[in-house]
Amino acid sequence: MDGKSPAYIEAVVEKGGKTVFTGEKKEAFKKYPDANRVNLEGKAMLPSFLDSHGHFVAAIQMVNQVNLSIPPVGNVESIKDIQKSLVNFQRSNQIPKGEWVVGWGYDNEGLLEKRHVTKIDLDEVLPEHKVMLIHVSGHGIVLNSKALSWANINNETKTPSGGVIARLNDSNEPTGLLMETAYFSLVLDKLPPMSEVDMLKLLDKSQQLYASFGYTHMQDGATLAKDIKFFKKAAKNKSLYLDLVALPVFTEYEKWFDKDDFIFGKYENHLKFQGVKMLQDGSPQGKTAFISDEYLTGGPGGQRHWHGEGILKKDEFLNLFKLFSDKGLQIFTHANGDAAIDEVIEATKFSGIDASNDRRFVVIHSQFQRPDQLDEYVKLGLTPSYFTNHTFFWGDVHIKNIGKSKASFISPIKAAVDKGLIYSNHSDFNVTPLDPFFILWTATTRKTREGVILGEEQRVDMYTALQGLTTGPAYQVFEEERKGKIKVGFLADYVILDKDPMRITGDEIKDIQVIETIKNGKVVYSKN
């Protein structure tokens, strides 16, 4: 991955956790006669993959939750399937009355009923438990009546700014659907955390999930204060063997901002706090992304003339962005809609930052982007972390919500690369599967569930797609001189695949298998 086109070498030598030689096999044997020799036997070795945006803590929590995803991630196709899955999970885990039953991956757009689940549906099957469905976007939930009562959400509850509380039949009675700030402020902050002891027990299993897909570098893309504490403890205990980059979330910045004992940009036992995570809009498929033109299908709560809205009021966002920038922090901003992206661009200018400063502020998702915004990225040194999996999972939904022309420019990798931008591509795990080969497939084919090619002109070749999982993510966290390439002096972080992605096209890309994952010269995962 060192250069603008694929380069192949016969032999690689690792010593002390770093690559010390790349070149001809004969020369490697001559210079390192006593080295252990591994014959790939026709398999392909690449730099290991780097997760440019995901939620590692979700991998830990998922163990105690039920998968409510639609195919191909899960088996849910209807509200009846959701009800059955919740009941089976409650019974098999013997969850007592009054306790939580939680499901992840809930996607209303893929259900036969073509509507959101309500508290009424959940009360039918588990009225004596607190039930929560986590929306696939990670930006919303559905609660049953018992959980709403626990959260003290009722007819008198006002919808917080930047949030959505869906109501029944134009009344004030909540349906159970809460999105954005209504979820974050009214529920998320109150949920009982998993104990540190239980989380530490699950760390190896969670890291193995990443390693099994060829990742040696993970990200926790919106780290809460309680998880900061947990990650620090895990690092101190030397429980991490893959690199973890954590982004403390802006909503709790008073707990870590400008504190002498909180250091950014430096690894300690595989843990690094890289920068601050801001959020300025919501989810495209949840219709809470902030866009200039109104949604063609209305809002998630039945709103008319709906554009979505910013999480923060614009002046508040600009001032907080500048506060972080003035302290030298790298800023990672969740912005899906073009109106939210406009505010990130304005905030960067307001902070006095342009490309010459080399701050590498990352615009996470950059989904419903306009072509003119790419020029602003170039001028300001902004770098996009795209999400091409959306083309498959919700491409058909986006066509309905914003029209085919705008939907076709979602995650415009080709246009960005043509402008000279360095980009990354992510799964936003657990919003979509961690599988890097699925990401490569969506970047190169852009095929929707219904078989539509969404933005054919934005499809890229395999080498460009691979850059989004290797060199691009390394650049975005200022590690381009140590990760993302098989190169002398770089970390010996490799992945061995059963097939070379460069020699495969179309749907076969999704079938590539990881044989081994190597971190700092040590095998951390083996298929066998």
Side-chain angles (χ1 to χ4, degrees):
M1 299 303 299
D2 187 19
K4 293 184 178 181
S5 59
Y8 289 85
I9 47 178
E10 280 189 314
V12 176
V13 181
E14 171 274 327
K15 186 177 182 180
K18 291 188 176 182
T19 300
V20 294
F21 175 91
T22 63
E24 292 184 1
K25 181 172 62 174
K26 187 168 79 172
E27 184 67 16
F29 290 168
K30 182 178 177 182
K31 290 184 73 171
Y32 299 93
D34 299 324
N36 295 322
R37 299 180 184 184
V38 180
N39 188 340
L40 290 176
E41 298 177 342
K43 295 183 282 291
M45 191 168 87
L46 286 73
S48 59
F49 302 126
L50 283 69
D51 174 25
S52 59
H53 178 68
H55 301 276
F56 175 64
V57 77
I60 303 171
Q61 295 168 340
M62 281 168 58
V63 175
N64 294 324
Q65 300 170 357
V66 57
N67 182 1
L68 299 179
S69 306
I70 61 176
V73 183
N75 299 309
V76 165
E77 295 182 341
S78 67
I79 292 174
K80 289 290 184 187
D81 290 340
I82 288 175
Q83 292 174 321
K84 189 183 299 182
S85 297
L86 290 168
V87 170
N88 289 342
F89 185 78
Q90 181 270 322
R91 288 175 179 168
S92 62
N93 289 276
Q94 299 181 334
I95 301 172
K97 291 179 180 180
E99 296 300 318
W100 285 95
V101 178
V102 180
W104 63 272
Y106 159 65
D107 186 356
N108 57 295
E109 292 290 350
L111 301 178
L112 291 174
E113 293 85 354
K114 298 298 179 186
R115 68 169 175 85
H116 270 294
V117 173
T118 68
K119 64 181 181 182
I120 298 168
D121 301 312
L122 301 177
D123 291 346
E124 276 183 20
V125 291
L126 290 173
E128 301 300 322
H129 291 78
K130 295 190 289 285
V131 180
M132 178 168 66
L133 314 186
I134 302 173
H135 192 264
V136 68
S137 66
H139 286 250
I141 53 173
V142 179
L143 299 179
N144 72 342
S145 294
K146 198 166 187 69
L148 286 167
S149 177
W150 166 86
N152 199 28
I153 296 171
N154 52 45
N155 297 20
E156 307 300 319
T157 305
K158 293 182 179 179
T159 302
S161 176
V164 172
I165 299 178
R167 313 282 179 169
L168 286 171
N169 301 322
D170 296 324
S171 71
N172 280 332
E173 186 180 351
T175 67
L177 174 67
L178 310 168
M179 299 199 74
E180 306 305 338
T181 56
Y183 163 40
F184 303 143
S185 63
L186 301 181
V187 178
L188 186 60
D189 291 345
K190 302 176 184 176
L191 288 171
M194 187 186 297
S195 73
E196 278 191 355
V197 173
D198 288 339
M199 289 180 74
L200 283 167
K201 287 178 183 176
L202 296 169
L203 263 181
D204 178 66
K205 188 174 182 179
S206 305
Q207 289 177 91
Q208 279 297 297
L209 175 62
Y210 281 77
S212 70
F213 283 115
Y215 290 95
T216 59
H217 172 114
M218 312 176 296
Q219 189 188 101
D220 192 64
T223 309
L224 297 171
K226 63 182 177 62
D227 296 322
I228 289 174
K229 181 182 175 185
F230 166 69
F231 290 150
K232 282 186 169 184
K233 186 168 186 177
K236 186 177 181 180
N237 292 349
K238 298 186 177 179
S239 299
L240 295 170
Y241 49 85
L242 303 183
D243 290 340
L244 174 61
V245 168
L247 308 178
V249 71
F250 78 104
T251 52
E252 301 178 319
Y253 78 94
E254 300 94 344
K255 297 179 181 179
W256 49 260
F257 179 71
D258 208 20
K259 299 279 196 284
D260 291 337
D261 62 343
F262 196 87
I263 299 170
F264 283 92
K266 183 180 179 182
Y267 278 105
E268 180 181 351
N269 294 331
H270 294 290
L271 172 66
K272 176 172 71 162
F273 296 101
Q274 181 65 31
V276 57
K277 169 68 175 294
M278 298 192 73
L279 295 95
Q280 192 49 11
D281 74 346
S283 136
Q285 71 273 32
K287 296 196 285 188
T288 52
F290 185 23
I291 60 176
S292 299
D293 297 324
E294 65 183 56
Y295 285 90
L296 302 177
T297 51
Q303 302 95 327
R304 296 178 181 178
H305 309 298
W306 177 250
H307 295 257
E309 55 190 356
I311 298 292
L312 299 176
K313 299 297 184 185
K314 188 166 82 167
D315 286 349
E316 187 181 359
F317 174 67
L318 295 183
N319 288 326
L320 197 54
F321 194 103
K322 188 175 188 300
L323 174 69
F324 295 142
S325 177
D326 287 350
K327 281 294 180 180
L329 296 181
Q330 188 181 8
I331 303 173
F332 296 72
T333 309
H334 169 116
N336 269 306
D338 67 318
I341 294 170
D342 277 338
E343 293 190 350
V344 176
I345 289 168
E346 186 175 345
T348 306
K349 292 177 178 177
F350 182 69
S351 302
I353 300 299
D354 62 26
S356 66
N357 302 112
D358 194 29
R359 296 291 293 277
R360 305 185 197 179
F361 293 163
V362 180
V363 189
I364 297 171
H365 306 319
S366 293
Q367 293 274 69
F368 294 158
Q369 196 168 30
R370 301 191 310 269
D372 63 284
Q373 291 174 328
L374 291 173
D375 293 319
E376 296 291 343
Y377 277 34
V378 173
K379 292 175 189 174
L380 300 174
L382 298 173
T383 173
S385 185
Y386 288 129
F387 192 3
T388 58
N389 280 359
H390 257 262
T391 58
F392 173 78
F393 285 102
W394 301 287
D396 304 302
V397 173
H398 298 328
I399 291 171
K400 288 190 295 184
N401 287 341
I402 64 169
K404 189 172 182 182
S405 176
K406 288 175 185 156
S408 294
F409 203 68
I410 195 169
S411 291
I413 294 177
K414 182 69 166 59
V417 171
D418 286 348
K419 293 282 186 182
L421 289 168
I422 297 175
Y423 85 100
S424 66
N425 201 359
H426 61 257
S427 69
D428 200 8
F429 181 75
N430 63 352
V431 175
T432 69
L434 199 54
D435 188 346
F437 311 111
F438 201 94
I439 296 173
L440 295 174
W441 177 74
T442 58
T444 55
T445 66
R446 296 179 67 95
K447 191 183 295 184
T448 73
R449 284 182 186 273
E450 296 179 11
V452 177
I453 304 302
L454 190 61
E456 183 174 2
E457 68 283 356
Q458 294 306 321
R459 293 192 292 188
V460 293
D461 61 82
M462 180 56 71
Y463 189 70
T464 303
L466 281 167
Q467 289 175 325
L469 292 169
T470 53
T471 54
Y475 170 85
Q476 288 181 337
V477 292
F478 292 87
E479 294 193 56
E480 71 272 23
E481 294 303 321
R482 65 195 300 266
K483 289 181 181 176
K485 302 176 183 179
I486 299 180
K487 186 175 181 179
V488 172
F490 278 50
L491 295 181
D493 293 353
Y494 316 131
V495 61
I496 298 173
L497 309 178
D498 67 339
K499 297 171 186 171
D500 180 359
M502 291 301 308
R503 295 173 182 176
I504 294 176
T505 58
D507 292 348
E508 291 182 20
I509 296 166
K510 293 183 290 184
D511 299 327
I512 298 173
Q513 298 289 311
V514 172
I515 303 301
E516 278 189 357
T517 303
I518 298 160
K519 172 67 180 152
N520 296 108
K522 296 179 180 178
V523 176
V524 291
Y525 168 81
S526 176
K527 184 177 175 65
N528 300 319

